[in-house]
């Protein structure tokens, strides 16, 4: 049911050179061969529950190779016959059925179109909210393509206490069997978190109308008691601590009736004294999400945190069911994503053939000692954006060819300046809109706090103690002295590397794996974190040239 590796390598080389106009090399061909071998192994199910992670460097053809492989599967038989059952060797092999999970809807549509073009027939179809397929159509589609969000929602349902797993079954079903190949393009968020913020609780209590509150006194009183408990925790004890099994969190009322009662409410006139449909939807969303988070805390470990003005209760779980079939994840930045190591024997990271990519034509201009967090840059966005733009303009950079990655609240201020291409953290990965830019600027870092790292670790490895939480520098796991620090640093580095590779350095232009000349400007803080991020970049982008950049904006006093 698999594809001949030599035939795949030959077809991919021809497509790479003739259709795409690129130069191939033995090193690139080794990456393509590894892609086919890994897909074949997954189909053969030697370890049916194992998730294999491939790390083909950006620009080495992982998407094109996936499309070519799935197109070559189209030559296999779609119909099970008595000859197949009797294992007659002259009968064409059966198509294994494939599921591809892409980050964005547009990426799924592009993948389906490319597979069908290479196959010369319709063998792939994308299923999403804009072009939904019926269940019968999904079952009969040889290569079904869905989005990350659809797959994550299906995994959450399957792994939840009351979940049915029906949607996941529909995605996996291939006629009367299970699809033999699952391919996940880019890292999947396998951690489901729940956070109850005291400010959200107070907002919920303030927005629920008195008539509803009187009808559901038990539920409303529980939320009041939760606010009281969080205030008491804030007044005494460590700012981060694990809460023991608490009757209050375990013995919750059933919120189903309250949730139903508020579902059809319109709160804009009652709360704001004016008509504002969007505001009403936002308030109802806060109520719904807060109650959902409260319910998720029931009977689970709970991490209390007070950081700045944020007072929260937190819980997290990983959503990979024990009986989930194996899959292949394509993740160029897998080396910086430590979640794979936390999952231990569930995941195997496949070593990448060396030398397929070089970044000798990329110059990384680095300036250290800056304030790059979202709170500072948001508060000083106008002034700091003006400083950055002046610095970039003084170097005579072409705004249309310059991509800037920044915090969401900073983005509007940068977009006011003529021509710069701007993307914000959380909305950059997987996009090709900036692939022709010759310059990338990293302005602000997507920090992850200690709660995020602790949630991620405990979601997989289980609850830890308050002493462990507070043992800065001494939370060992595997080769790491402090796994929380490494998780946070790795998450930042992953997003920075992804952002840099949104511009033209992502594309290979010669047989040595080089790209066109590209300039990258990186604003970093001081200290070990800056050094660690820089080392991650140099490891992921071999050959990159690092030089100092004298930038004076957002400096620490």
């Amino acid at each position: 049911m698999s594809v001949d590796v030599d035939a795949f390598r030959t077809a991919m080389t021809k497509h790479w050179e003739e259709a795409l106009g690129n130069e191939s090399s033995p090193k690139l061909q080794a990456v393509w061969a590894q892609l086919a071998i890994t897909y074949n192994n997954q189909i053969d199910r030697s370890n049916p529950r194992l998730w294999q992670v491939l790390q083909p460097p950006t620009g080495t053809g992982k998407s094109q190779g996936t499309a070519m492989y799935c197109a070559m599967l189209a030559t296999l038989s779609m119909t099970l016959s008595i000859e197949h059952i009797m294992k007659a060797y002259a009968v064409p092999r059966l198509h294994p059925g494939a599921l591809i999970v892409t980050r964005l809807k547009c990426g799924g549509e592009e993948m389906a179109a490319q597979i069908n073009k290479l196959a010369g027939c319709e063998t792939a179809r994308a299923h999403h909210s804009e072009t939904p397929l019926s269940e019968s159509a999904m079952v009969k589609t040889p290569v079904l393509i869905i989005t990350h969000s659809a797959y994550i929602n299906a995994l959450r349902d399957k792994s939840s206490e009351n979940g049915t797993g029906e949607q996941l079954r529909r995605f996996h079903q291939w006629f009367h069997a299970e699809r033999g190949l699952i391919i996940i393009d880019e890292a999947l968020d396998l951690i489901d978190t729940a956070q109850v913020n005291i400010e959200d609780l107070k907002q919920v209590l303030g927005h629920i109308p008195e008539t509803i509150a009187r009808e559901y006194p038990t539920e409303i009183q529980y939320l009041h008691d939760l606010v009281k408990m969080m205030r008491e925790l804030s007044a005494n004890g460590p700012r981060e601590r694990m809460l023991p099994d608490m009757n209050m969190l375990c013995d919750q009322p059933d919120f189903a009736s309250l949730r139903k009662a508020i579902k059809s409410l319109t709160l804009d006139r009652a709360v704001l004294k004016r008509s504002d449909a969007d505001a009403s939807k936002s308030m109802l969303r806060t109520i719904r999400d807060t109650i959902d988070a409260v319910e998720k805390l029931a009977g689970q470990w709970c991490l209390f945190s007070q950081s700045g003005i944020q007072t929260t209760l937190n819980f997290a779980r990983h959503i990979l069911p024990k009986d989930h079939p194996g899959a292949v994840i394509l993740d160029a930045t897998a080396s910086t994503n430590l979640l794979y190591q936390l999952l231990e024997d569930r995941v195997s990271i496949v070593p990448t053939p060396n030398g397929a990519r070089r970044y000798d034509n990329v110059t990384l201009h680095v300036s250290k000692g800056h304030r790059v967090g979202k709170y500072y840059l948001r508060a000083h966005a106008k002034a700091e954006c003006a400083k950055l733009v002046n610095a970039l303009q003084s170097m005579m950079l072409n705004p249309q060819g310059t991509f800037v990655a920044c915090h969401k609240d900073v983005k509007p201020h940068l977009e006011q300046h003529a021509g710069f291409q701007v993307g914000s953290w959380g909305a950059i990965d997987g996009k090709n809109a900036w692939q022709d830019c010759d310059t990338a600027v990293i302005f602000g870092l997507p920090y992850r706090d200690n709660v995020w790292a602790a949630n991620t670790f405990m979601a997989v490895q289980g609850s830890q103690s308050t002493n462990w939480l507070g043992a800065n520098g001494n939370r060992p796991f595997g080769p790491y002295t402090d796994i929380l620090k490494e998780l946070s640093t790795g998450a930042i580095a992953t997003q920075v590397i992804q952002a840099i590779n949104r511009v033209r350095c992502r594309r290979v232009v010669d047989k040595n794996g080089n790209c066109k000349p590209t300039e990258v400007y990186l604003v970093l803080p001081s200290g070990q974190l800056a050094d660690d991020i820089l080392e991650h970049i140099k490891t992921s982008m071999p050959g990159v040239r690092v030089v100092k950049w004298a930038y004076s904006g957002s400096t620490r006093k």
Side-chain angles (χ1 to χ4, degrees), residues 130-145:
E130 295 176 17
T131 58
L133 301 179
S134 66
E135 182 175 352
S136 61
M138 284 194 286
V139 166
K140 297 174 184 176
T141 299
V143 181
L144 178 65
I145 305 174

Side-chain angles (χ1 to χ4, degrees), residues 120-232:
C121 63
E122 186 179 70
T123 186
R125 297 180 71 181
H127 165 75
H128 53 75
S129 58
E130 295 176 17
T131 58
L133 301 179
S134 66
E135 182 175 352
S136 61
M138 284 194 286
V139 166
K140 297 174 184 176
T141 299
V143 181
L144 178 65
I145 305 174
I146 62 174
T147 61
H148 275 209
S149 60
Y151 204 55
I152 288 170
N153 287 336
L155 287 170
R156 282 176 179 160
D157 171 65
K158 170 70 174 178
S159 60
S160 65
E161 184 177 346
N162 300 315
T164 64
E166 275 301 299
Q167 189 58 58
L168 197 62
R169 179 195 61 77
R170 294 188 190 102
F171 291 154
H172 288 170
Q173 187 173 353
W174 166 233
F175 284 100
H176 299 293
E178 192 175 68
R179 293 182 183 274
L181 178 61
I182 301 172
I183 302 169
I184 300 172
D185 189 13
E186 306 287 355
L188 199 66
D189 187 359
L190 294 173
I191 305 299
D192 184 28
T193 61
Q195 183 176 85
V196 177
N197 190 307
I198 192 170
E199 300 304 326
D200 289 338
L201 278 174
K202 288 155 60 178
Q203 188 178 34
V204 167
L205 290 168
H207 287 169
I208 292 179
E210 182 63 24
T211 53
I212 300 293
R214 285 200 302 266
E215 192 173 349
Y216 301 97
T218 303
E219 293 89 333
I220 299 301
Q221 186 59 50
Y222 180 86
L223 299 179
H224 278 292
D225 291 343
L226 201 55
V227 170
K228 180 181 178 182
M229 182 194 80
M230 295 177 72
R231 284 173 172 160
E232 291 172 351

Side-chain angles (χ1 to χ4, degrees), residues 66-119:
T66 297
M68 178 63 73
Y69 186 94
C70 290
M72 293 178 74
L73 288 176
T75 62
L76 304 181
S77 174
M78 305 290 175
T79 307
L80 180 67
S81 65
I82 189 64
E83 287 82 4
H84 287 113
I85 297 173
M86 299 301 293
K87 297 183 179 180
Y89 290 105
V91 178
R93 294 167 297 160
L94 276 174
H95 194 297
L99 174 69
I100 301 177
V101 185
T102 62
R103 186 180 295 277
L104 304 173
K105 289 183 286 188
C106 59
E109 294 285 358
E110 292 168 1
M111 178 61 75
Q114 181 67 2
I115 292 170
N116 295 335
K117 179 180 178 181
L118 293 171

Side-chain angles (χ1 to χ4, degrees), residues 528-549:
Q528 189 63 46
L529 176 61
D531 296 339
D532 291 343
I533 291 172
L534 199 54
E535 284 305 310
H536 279 302
I537 295 173
K538 290 160 65 176
T539 300
S540 297
M541 301 176 65
V544 63
R545 189 168 68 97
V546 180
V547 299
K548 288 185 178 181
W549 175 31

Side-chain angles (χ1 to χ4, degrees), residues 321-358:
K322 291 183 179 180
D323 61 348
H324 191 283
V328 178
I329 301 176
L330 304 176
D331 185 1
T333 53
S335 63
T336 59
N337 187 346
L338 299 190
L339 176 61
Y340 300 129
Q341 295 183 42
L342 296 183
L343 289 166
E344 298 181 300
D345 59 354
R346 293 294 303 274
V347 172
S348 172
I349 300 179
V350 182
T352 304
N354 292 324
R357 273 303 319 257
R358 294 289 301 176

